[in-house]
Amino acid sequence: MTTLIVDGANVVGSVPDGWWHDRRGAAERLRDGLVAYGESGLPGLADPPVELVLVVEGAARGVASVDGVRVESADGSGDDRIVELVAARPEGRPCVVVTADRGLRARVEALGARVTGPRSVRPVGTGGGRAYGR
């Protein structure tokens, strides 16, 4: 099993669709769009089954977990929470972090995680549309 950790703020912010008017709602839409990856995996990066973790911060804190996606609310920096999660994963378990943040990329790669950009987690079957809808 691979752990897939999604930098919620970074992925939500990658699509200028008005997310800033409802940060919590945008995080919930992203969460719901991630569910399918638990069974399908992430082609070329994570074979199924996948443990999905969405890290949220700021106004999105408190978004609830759903079947298939565990939501972690960062008390402070979302990046710091992601690094903590990567470091705490079971020994030998593959980990992929979804972010475009260069500083975060370097930190998690140093811990052995692979990194991919926000476009890789568009909902299955959208043909590359918006990452989490409106």
Side-chain angles (χ1 to χ4, degrees):
M1 176 177 282
T2 299
T3 299
L4 179 66
I5 302 172
V6 179
D7 180 351
N10 190 267
V11 173
V12 164
S14 71
V15 178
D17 69 348
W19 58 263
W20 50 91
H21 297 293
D22 181 12
R23 293 168 194 255
R24 184 182 180 95
E28 289 170 339
R29 289 188 297 277
L30 172 59
R31 175 204 59 202
D32 296 346
L34 293 172
V35 171
Y37 292 110
E39 292 184 15
S40 70
L42 199 57
L45 292 169
D47 293 330
V50 175
E51 174 192 26
L52 280 157
V53 182
L54 172 62
V55 176
V56 296
E57 61 186 294
R61 244 185 253 127
V63 167
S65 297
V66 295
D67 285 342
V69 180
R70 185 176 90 230
V71 179
E72 290 277 336
S73 291
D75 290 330
S77 162
D79 290 2
D80 289 346
R81 183 67 186 132
I82 291 168
V83 171
E84 291 169 0
L85 291 168
V86 170
R89 77 188 187 278
E91 187 173 336
R93 177 179 282 187
C95 182
V96 177
V97 175
V98 180
T99 188
D101 182 305
R102 289 183 206 159
L104 178 56
R105 281 182 85 101
R107 292 172 68 190
V108 298
E109 286 174 339
L111 295 170
R114 295 180 68 187
V115 179
T116 189
R119 290 183 181 173
S120 64
V121 292
R122 297 211 166 138
V124 176
T126 64
R130 285 207 155 93
Y132 39 83
R134 279 192 186 205

